[in-house]
Amino acid sequence: MSATFEFAPLLPAGLPPPAAKWTGLAKYSFVGGNNDPEQVPLDGLIDAVNAVLRREGRNLATYGLAHGPQGYLPLRQFLSAKLRRDAGIKATTDDITIVSGSLQALDLVNHTLLAPGDTVIVEQETYQGSLTRLSRLGVKAVGIPLDGDGMRMDVLASALADSKARGIRPKYIYTIPTVQNPTGSILPEARRAEMLRLAQHYGVPIFEDDCYADLIWDGVRPPAIYAMAQNGSVIHIGSFSKSIAPALRVGFIVAPWEMMSRLIALKTDAGSGALEQMLLAEYCTPHFATHVPNLTRGLRVKLDTLMEALNAQFGTAAEFEAPKGGIFLWLKLPDNVDTLKLYQSALAAGVAINPGPEWSTNAAHSKSRLRLCFANPSAELIREGVAVLADVCRREFGVPVRIANVAAGAELSSGQPHLS
Ligand SMILES: Cc1ncc(COP(=O)(O)O)c(C=O)c1O
């Protein structure tokens, strides 16, 4: 059909730019939060969906399965037990709301708390989806630098003091404390306590995004900040995207009722997908605890493949620290590399990467950094893709000077990936 009707004059101001048409994933796709297709627990999910549909399928005739706006009760029961066991969170099913991916949680929290001109505090390197949402809302994001242990509390303390001196009360501190995206750090318990102390002192709530908390190599994590808070000032969100599958679009919010009642009032979609919730409850209740260590073991192998490939192809030109879990590696190339440009040329050669500046509030710091997701491509595609990336980078920026350089090869043969 040839479109002749003009919608443009009807569009209100402030809309985001139009979406580009989907052209498919790149051959070597290191972007997004996609997971390992081999690790989707297919047989278990098939059994679970059959069992739950046979038992309760007729409830699909009712919006929200007649379990109310907070979601399917058995899934909230599973989460209540899991959060207590893994994160130290004591949440009843009334403290939990199921949402359509934690992206919906971000939207609900933002729309509840934020207005144009507001200020929030974020980690300097952080989730692009959070940064784009904040900028679309006209909210200023103040980035706090990270080190190997996550957000730096000394800088947070001065940023909060500075805001107060200027009469600004930030609306929240947004943190991804447990396997930070993109840097892969875990905020130690003492820093969590210090963040809470500062937040309380300045009257600022903490918005804790624990999207990757299940994917820690050794499975050991500090308590959630939500669990450590004494005064109900923390909103906690999580997701099944990284532990089971992102296409299911199931996440959750844990919050005190004062906040939760506001969030539910804004969730006007008549409930998140019921079949996905039923499937997850049925599968996860008996299997989650055994599925996750298998998943992380596989992810760790892929990370090692990626680090070895980077060492072989980039040598010392690629600097990185192994993440403590998750699906991303954050790496630094030499200063002359502009990853926004590298991104374009790499994509033309079939390699998709996430350029650093899209994941940071600091353009200069992130200019020559990038994020690679290692979960989705096979080991073979990881190796090939990194080789193509190195080739493109050398053609565009002259680095790495030599492919598969001798020093990196020597380190690899000793079994010690180069981690700087
Ligand atoms: C830190 C963080 N939060 C939230 C999300 C959104 O996840 P989902 O909506 O799939 O639960 C992502 C996705 O990659 C993420 O990295």
Side-chain angles (χ1 to χ4, degrees), residues 115 163 183 254 313:
S163 290
T183 60
V254 189
Q313 297 296 332

Side-chain angles (χ1 to χ4, degrees), residues 64-113:
L65 305 162
H67 287 210
Q70 291 184 255
Y72 183 53
L73 190 59
L75 187 58
R76 287 186 282 140
Q77 284 163 341
F78 163 73
L79 282 169
S80 171
K82 173 203 177 314
L83 289 167
R84 181 182 289 257
R85 186 184 62 235
D86 296 348
I89 291 177
K90 295 191 190 87
T92 68
T93 51
D94 285 347
D95 302 322
I96 300 171
T97 294
I98 308 296
V99 288
S100 305
S102 50
L103 280 172
Q104 188 178 39
L106 287 172
D107 284 334
L108 294 174
V109 171
N110 285 346
H111 288 130
T112 303
L113 286 174

Side-chain angles (χ1 to χ4, degrees), residues 52 61 87 90 92 104 145 192 196 224 376:
V52 75
K90 295 191 190 87
T92 68
Q104 188 178 39
R192 291 170 191 239
L196 272 168
N376 196 244

Side-chain angles (χ1 to χ4, degrees), residues 33 101-103 106 127 174 176 181 209 211-212 239 241-242 249:
S102 50
L103 280 172
L106 287 172
Y127 175 43
Y174 172 71
I176 311 164
N181 180 3
D209 185 344
C211 193
Y212 299 92
S239 178
S241 288
K242 314 304 165 177
R249 310 307 305 129

Side-chain angles (χ1 to χ4, degrees), residues 178-249:
T178 319
V179 188
Q180 208 267 343
N181 180 3
T183 60
S185 61
I186 297 180
L187 197 74
E189 188 168 349
R191 278 203 197 181
R192 291 170 191 239
E194 178 62 2
M195 185 187 285
L196 272 168
R197 191 189 68 74
L198 288 167
Q200 194 162 349
H201 180 75
Y202 288 98
V204 179
I206 295 175
F207 184 6
E208 175 177 46
D209 185 344
D210 243 2
C211 193
Y212 299 92
D214 294 311
L215 307 184
I216 301 176
W217 306 139
D218 61 9
V220 180
R221 57 156 298 164
I225 302 173
Y226 186 98
M228 296 168 67
Q230 303 297 326
N231 65 350
S233 61
V234 181
I235 300 161
H236 177 97
I237 66 172
S239 178
F240 288 95
S241 288
K242 314 304 165 177
S243 53
I244 305 289
L248 293 176
R249 310 307 305 129

